[in-house]
Amino acid sequence: MKKKLVAALSGGAALMLALTGCSDDGDKKLDDWAKKFCDPAQAQFKKIQDANTAMQTADSGGTDSKKVQEADSKAFQQISDAYAALAKSLSQAGAPPADGGEESQKNAVKELNDLSKGYGDLKKQVDGLDTGDKGKFADGLRSLSDGINKLNKKSEQAFKKLESGDVGKAMAGQSGCQNQKATEGAGSVSPKK
């Protein structure tokens, strides 16, 4: 069950990190824009990845529910903060110099802020779970997993437009968006159910 929860969380981070790919686009304006977003975003991608790892390692099967709750709560807060910082970075980078760039950026910033709020809400929910009853606690985690899946779908939709075409290629050329792909891919290639 816990692995399913972490796999769902990893999906959201993977969507964020899917901004990478192959780029041979030499458009200086787009590259400059991508650098403005990707450089500060790199630290936030790492925070999301670290939070996912912390949750995965917090429950080794026989771990005390209270410790799992504390680890999950801290991780949800960390992810919430990282999405808020990504929204701020994207906002500060401005609209990408491409067709529909302003609308795509505005939508992505809104969705990132919504994701931040969503993970903040998940933190409150996990804080409220009954750790005295392992069955109830497991059921509570299961319901949180559904919430995470909904947040992941929002994240995917937010970035589909932003990462399309030349903007996505420019982002793929930035080390701040590239470096996380290899490390994230290793953790989320084959999630266990």
Side-chain angles (χ1 to χ4, degrees), residues 3-4 9-10 18 21 23 36 75 79 93 95-96 123 133 140 142 150 157 159 174 179:
K3 288 181 181 180
K4 186 175 182 181
L9 284 167
S10 296
S23 174
K36 277 188 209 174
I79 294 170
K123 179 198 181 305
D133 181 327
R142 220 170 277 113
K150 287 177 185 171
Q157 290 168 356
F159 280 92
Q174 299 303 315
N179 291 345

Side-chain angles (χ1 to χ4, degrees), residues 116-187:
S116 174
K117 182 186 179 310
Y119 279 100
D121 290 345
L122 287 174
K123 179 198 181 305
K124 290 176 191 168
Q125 290 174 38
V126 83
D127 288 345
L129 293 178
D130 179 3
T131 58
D133 181 327
K134 282 194 179 255
K136 283 184 180 178
F137 184 69
D139 288 344
L141 287 179
R142 220 170 277 113
S143 73
L144 290 179
S145 179
D146 294 338
I148 291 164
N149 287 330
K150 287 177 185 171
L151 289 173
N152 286 343
K153 286 179 185 172
K154 277 187 164 186
S155 176
E156 181 179 8
Q157 290 168 356
F159 280 92
K160 268 186 182 174
K161 236 182 176 180
L162 184 67
E163 69 185 26
S164 66
D166 292 339
V167 174
K169 289 177 185 173
M171 293 172 90
Q174 299 303 315
S175 62
C177 286
Q178 280 180 345
N179 291 345
Q180 298 303 312
K181 185 177 184 197
T183 54
E184 177 60 27

Side-chain angles (χ1 to χ4, degrees), residues 30-41 93 170-171 174-175:
L30 269 176
D31 288 343
D32 289 346
W33 176 87
K35 186 171 179 54
K36 277 188 209 174
F37 173 68
C38 291
D39 283 357
M171 293 172 90
Q174 299 303 315
S175 62

Side-chain angles (χ1 to χ4, degrees), residues 12-23:
L15 291 170
M16 288 295 301
L17 302 171
L19 300 171
T20 60
C22 297
S23 174

